Amino acid sequence: MTDNAIKLTNRVRPATRRPRLHKVILLNDDYTPREFVVTVLKSVFRINADQAQRIMVTAHQKGTCVVAVYTSEIAETRANAATDAGRQAGYPLTFTTEPDQ
């Protein structure tokens, strides 16, 4: 008789975690024109005009508004791009990020 033993091995799969998400937040200011805010929201965050208008109005009324939720790198990149667009146009338009619960 020959020994043809089958050897079983356990494969350990590494536990993958979902990346932590961050919120991009629009801060209201009294100087940036509303139309410019809508334009930046549409171009940087790729949202339609109706959504951009609602976000802008919410930020205007409440002081801040969550624009979108992304992974941390994408959130930082988009917030910086939107803030830079405001600065280049001479406005104090500001977007920030914070971790999502």
Side-chain angles (χ1 to χ4, degrees), residues 6-52:
I6 299 174
K7 201 176 219 182
L8 298 177
T9 59
N10 289 335
R11 292 185 184 181
V12 178
R13 293 185 182 174
T16 55
R17 297 171 119 187
R18 291 186 180 261
R20 191 164 183 196
L21 299 177
H22 284 68
K23 299 182 276 191
V24 177
I25 301 169
L26 166 62
L27 304 178
N28 184 49
D29 66 73
D30 294 332
Y31 303 101
T32 307
R34 293 178 179 195
E35 297 80 22
F36 182 76
V37 175
V38 170
T39 301
V40 169
L41 289 169
K42 287 174 17 183
S43 64
V44 174
F45 297 97
R46 298 182 183 112
I47 57 178
N48 65 41
D50 291 337
Q51 287 176 315

Side-chain angles (χ1 to χ4, degrees), residues 16-22 69-74 100:
T16 55
R17 297 171 119 187
R18 291 186 180 261
R20 191 164 183 196
L21 299 177
H22 284 68
V69 178
Y70 300 107
T71 59
S72 62
E73 295 84 17
I74 295 172
D100 191 28

Side-chain angles (χ1 to χ4, degrees), residues 37-100:
V37 175
V38 170
T39 301
V40 169
L41 289 169
K42 287 174 17 183
S43 64
V44 174
F45 297 97
R46 298 182 183 112
I47 57 178
N48 65 41
D50 291 337
Q51 287 176 315
Q53 186 74 23
R54 276 186 256 135
I55 291 169
M56 181 274 303
V57 168
T58 301
H60 180 71
Q61 292 173 345
K62 296 185 177 184
T64 63
C65 183
V66 174
V67 177
V69 178
Y70 300 107
T71 59
S72 62
E73 295 84 17
I74 295 172
E76 284 292 331
T77 301
R78 294 209 179 174
N80 289 338
T83 300
D84 290 345
R87 298 292 184 267
Q88 288 175 357
Y91 299 119
L93 181 64
T94 305
F95 290 81
T96 64
T97 63
E98 70 179 40
D100 191 28

